[in-house]
C-alpha cells in the first residue's frame, strides 16, 4: 500500500484562489472515494472568508496511489468570473497541488500517543456530563496535548483528538524549520501557470470535456494498442 502526502495551496494568490482551493479539494476527496483510496487530513489553513482554504495537507493511502496523484500534481486552473469581485477583468485563477517528501512531514508511531478519558463538563446536556466521553490526547515525545469533548461518543472524540494533535504538531514543526528547509518548503507554493494539469470552468466547477480523469490500466492498454496498430 502506497502513501503520499499532498498539499493544496493558493500560494500568495488572492481570495479567489483560496475559494478555488476549497472547491478543488472537495472534488479531490470525491475522486479518492470513487477509487477506494484512504485519506487523513493532516493540516488545514482556512481562508479569510467562509468556504475558502489557503492550504490543506492530506495523507493518501491505497493501491496505485501514484497513478492517481499524477493526474493532480501541478497547477490547477479555474476559468470563471470572481465570486467576490464580479467586475474583475481576470478570468483565469491558479492554485498548486504538490507532493511533499515524507522527510518533510512528521512521522508518527501509535505508541507515541497517549489517550485518557474524563467526564466532560462542556455543553451537550445532562447526558454528556454523566459519562467519561471527553478525550485528552498527548504526544509523549513533546508532551503536546489537545482536549476534545464535542461528541458524546468517546470513540469519535478520540478520532478527532488524534487529527487535531497532528495538526498542532505540524504547525509547531513548520515554525522550527531551518532557513534551508523553509526555502525548500516554499518552493512547493510557487505556482507554474504555463501547463495546468486540470482545468475547471464556471461556478459549477466542471472539468473541460477533453480531460479524462485517471483512466484505468485497461483503457491505457487499449489506447497504446490502437497507437501501435496505426503507427
Amino acid at each position: 500500500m502506497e502513501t503520499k502526502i499532498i498539499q493544496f495551496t493558493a500560494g500568495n494568490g488572492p481570495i479567489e484562489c483560496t475559494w478555488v482551493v476549497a472547491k478543488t479539494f472537495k472534488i479531490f476527496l470525491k475522486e479518492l472515494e470513487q477509487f477506494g483510496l484512504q485519506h487523513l487530513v493532516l493540516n488545514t489553513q482556512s481562508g479569510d472568508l467562509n468556504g475558502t482554504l489557503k492550504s490543506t495537507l492530506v495523507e493518501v493511502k491505497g493501491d496505485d496511489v501514484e497513478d492517481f496523484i499524477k493526474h493532480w500534481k501541478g497547477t490547477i486552473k479555474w476559468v470563471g468570473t470572481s465570486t467576490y469581485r464580479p467586475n474583475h477583468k481576470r478570468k483565469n485563477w491558479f492554485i498548486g497541488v504538490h507532493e511533499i517528501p515524507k522527510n518533510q512531514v512528521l512521522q508518527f508511531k501509535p505508541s507515541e500517543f497517549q489517550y485518557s478519558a474524563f467526564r466532560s463538563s462542556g455543553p451537550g446536556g445532562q447526558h454528556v456530563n454523566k459519562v467519561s466521553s471527553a478525550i485528552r490526547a498527548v504526544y509523549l515525545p513533546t508532551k503536546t496535548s489537545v482536549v476534545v469533548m464535542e461528541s458524546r461518543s468517546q470513540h469519535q472524540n478520540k478520532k478527532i483528538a488524534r487529527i487535531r494533535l497532528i495538526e498542532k504538531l505540524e504547525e509547531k514543526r513548520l515554525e522550527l524549520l531551518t532557513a534551508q528547509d523553509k526555502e525548500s518548503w516554499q518552493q512547493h507554493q510557487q505556482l507554474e501557470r504555463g501547463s495546468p494539469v486540470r482545468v475547471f470552468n464556471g461556478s459549477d466547477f466542471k472539468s473541460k470535456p477533453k480531460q479524462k480523469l485517471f483512466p484505468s490500466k485497461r483503457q491505457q492498454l487499449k489506447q497504446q494498442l490502437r497507437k501501435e496498430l496505426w503507427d
Side-chain angles (χ1 to χ4, degrees):
M1 180 179 291
E2 296 179 89
T3 301
K4 299 287 185 181
I5 306 295
I6 305 300
Q7 182 191 41
F8 284 71
T9 176
N12 296 319
I15 188 66
E16 288 83 1
C17 293
T18 63
W19 180 79
V20 175
V21 169
K23 297 286 287 186
T24 305
F25 189 56
K26 286 183 179 179
I27 295 174
F28 178 79
L29 294 180
K30 185 176 181 179
E31 290 188 15
L32 281 178
E33 183 179 353
Q34 290 174 346
F35 292 104
L37 299 175
Q38 304 173 28
H39 78 277
L40 175 64
V41 177
L42 301 175
N43 192 34
T44 297
Q45 185 178 4
S46 299
D48 296 330
L49 297 177
N50 290 336
T52 64
L53 288 173
K54 292 182 179 179
S55 69
T56 185
L57 197 67
V58 59
E59 177 186 80
V60 181
K61 292 183 179 181
D63 297 329
D64 298 323
V65 169
E66 181 62 38
D67 287 339
F68 176 81
I69 294 301
K70 71 181 181 182
H71 293 276
W72 279 95
K73 288 191 298 185
T75 300
I76 304 292
K77 178 181 178 181
W78 177 65
V79 182
T81 302
S82 169
T83 306
Y84 308 98
R85 296 179 289 175
N87 296 324
H88 199 289
K89 294 182 179 180
R90 181 176 170 181
K91 301 298 180 183
N92 298 323
W93 312 89
F94 301 89
I95 67 168
V97 180
H98 312 288
E99 180 180 349
I100 305 300
K102 291 183 180 179
N103 60 3
Q104 286 188 314
V105 180
L106 281 175
Q107 301 298 301
F108 303 104
K109 299 178 181 178
S111 60
E112 295 175 331
F113 292 90
Q114 183 180 77
Y115 303 93
S116 57
F118 62 95
R119 183 173 297 177
S120 173
S121 59
Q126 293 181 351
H127 176 72
V128 75
N129 295 328
K130 292 180 181 179
V131 294
S132 299
S133 60
I135 292 291
R136 177 180 287 105
V138 181
Y139 182 62
L140 297 176
T142 61
K143 305 300 181 183
T144 306
S145 65
V146 297
V147 172
V148 174
M149 57 180 69
E150 278 89 338
S151 174
R152 294 182 179 181
S153 165
Q154 186 180 118
H155 175 76
Q156 183 65 17
N157 282 336
K158 183 177 180 180
K159 181 178 180 180
I160 296 172
R162 181 180 185 278
I163 294 173
R164 288 188 182 173
L165 185 52
I166 290 176
E167 291 176 353
K168 190 173 183 179
L169 291 168
E170 181 63 17
E171 288 174 0
K172 287 188 175 183
R173 187 194 69 81
L174 291 176
E175 292 174 359
L176 297 174
L177 286 175
T178 64
Q180 183 177 358
D181 289 334
K182 283 184 178 180
E183 182 179 355
S184 176
W185 182 272
Q186 288 170 354
Q187 288 176 359
H188 295 291
Q189 298 187 8
Q190 297 175 358
L191 307 183
E192 297 179 2
R193 300 183 177 184
S195 303
V197 294
R198 301 283 289 272
V199 178
F200 297 97
N201 291 270
S203 58
D204 54 1
F205 234 73
K206 290 185 177 180
S207 296
K208 283 189 175 180
K210 68 177 182 179
Q211 292 185 320
K212 296 183 179 180
L213 307 182
F214 193 36
S216 67
K217 290 183 178 180
R218 181 178 297 179
Q219 290 174 323
Q220 291 175 354
L221 290 173
K222 286 182 178 180
Q223 292 174 359
Q224 183 178 352
L225 180 59
R226 291 193 189 102
K227 183 177 180 181
E228 291 175 353
L229 290 174
W230 285 101
D231 286 345

